[in-house]
Amino acid sequence: MGRKKRYWDPNSFYHIVCRGNRRDSLFCDRGDYLTFLYILKQVFDKAPYELASYCLMTNHYHLQLRSTEQPISKIMSLINKRYADYYNNKYHLTGHVFEKRYYDHKIHSPKGMIEVSCYIHLNPVKANMVKKPERYPWSSYVDFMNDTRPYEYLKPDHILDLLPGNFDEKRKQYKEMVIHKMEESLMQN
């Protein structure tokens, strides 16, 4: 039985999650994280896409991504193939780097866009890696808060423009939403 064909809507963002094989680490040191971000740039140059938010965890990563020109499956194939080649070469390994196929979920609403972004940015907090999302260096949260744009493919405006007010008011509202969700999560545990 073959795999179910993925549906691609070029007008929609998707929440994408990809895990290391056997839940092994995908990122073992700073160089691995930086290489993955560089690969995102290489793929963007070859097959443009828009990234609303991201978080690179130790054994998986999250992307909130839209591709209007190429199917998401092509973008993900390019990203994962390049990273797997790098990883296997660096660590003298062979075989699968990633577990199964990546998970993807189409985001259907502006509220969903904000919720997915908050979820992505809170991943390191929920994993007890940091106390506050701004302390985690491998997510786009700091770029949201500081209006830094180190990567051409990163477009936080897709989230911030869903909120009312001027730019500073939007950033403040987003931060308040993330803090609120973080507090809710802590109360549930």
Side-chain angles (χ1 to χ4, degrees):
M1 178 183 226
R3 290 180 170 176
K4 182 180 171 189
K5 186 173 175 164
R6 293 188 187 266
Y7 174 76
W8 167 54
D9 177 358
N11 298 311
S12 295
F13 275 86
Y14 289 80
H15 178 196
I16 296 168
V17 182
C18 198
R19 295 194 178 281
N21 198 22
R22 297 173 304 278
R23 297 189 182 236
D24 289 344
S25 291
L26 287 174
F27 307 104
C28 300
D29 62 26
R30 185 173 191 273
D32 294 344
Y33 290 103
L34 292 172
T35 297
F36 188 85
L37 293 171
Y38 179 70
I39 287 169
L40 290 179
K41 163 126 179 52
Q42 287 180 316
V43 172
F44 172 79
D45 290 342
K46 182 174 183 165
Y49 60 85
E50 298 165 282
L51 191 62
S53 62
Y54 73 87
C55 186
L56 311 181
M57 299 292 285
T58 308
N59 68 352
H60 69 283
Y61 66 82
H62 294 263
L63 305 176
Q64 188 173 8
L65 186 141
R66 173 172 68 184
S67 175
T68 59
E69 297 178 23
Q70 299 284 336
I72 298 277
S73 59
K74 175 165 181 157
I75 303 296
M76 293 308 300
S77 174
L78 290 168
I79 291 169
N80 286 351
K81 167 104 173 68
R82 288 180 188 206
Y83 190 74
D85 288 347
Y86 156 82
Y87 188 90
N88 280 339
N89 186 44
K90 178 178 178 180
Y91 295 105
H92 309 288
L93 300 170
T94 59
H96 297 285
V97 172
F98 296 101
E99 175 184 274
K100 305 178 197 169
R101 296 198 306 171
Y102 63 90
Y103 161 88
D104 68 332
H105 177 75
K106 182 178 170 182
I107 303 169
H108 296 280
S109 68
K111 182 180 178 196
M113 285 288 289
I114 293 169
E115 286 178 0
V116 167
S117 182
C118 289
Y119 175 83
I120 288 171
H121 288 143
L122 283 172
N123 245 247
V125 176
K126 288 179 183 175
N128 293 316
M129 297 169 83
V130 293
K131 297 276 186 213
K132 297 179 179 182
E134 59 267 24
R135 301 253 185 226
Y136 192 71
W138 308 113
S139 87
S140 54
Y141 186 76
V142 172
D143 301 310
F144 273 61
M145 294 300 100
N146 297 326
D147 191 30
T148 56
R149 303 293 163 94
Y151 310 108
E152 186 180 354
Y153 52 80
L154 181 60
K155 310 262 190 243
D157 295 348
H158 286 298
I159 305 300
L160 297 176
D161 284 348
L162 298 172
L163 303 170
N166 66 36
F167 187 73
D168 288 334
E169 292 167 341
K170 291 176 185 193
R171 282 194 311 198
K172 183 179 180 202
Q173 287 176 71
Y174 183 77
K175 183 176 185 175
E176 288 169 357
M177 287 178 179
V178 169
I179 289 169
H180 177 72
K181 290 196 178 292
M182 185 172 68
E183 289 169 350
E184 277 181 348
S185 176
L186 292 172
M187 291 170 87
Q188 292 173 355
N189 291 337

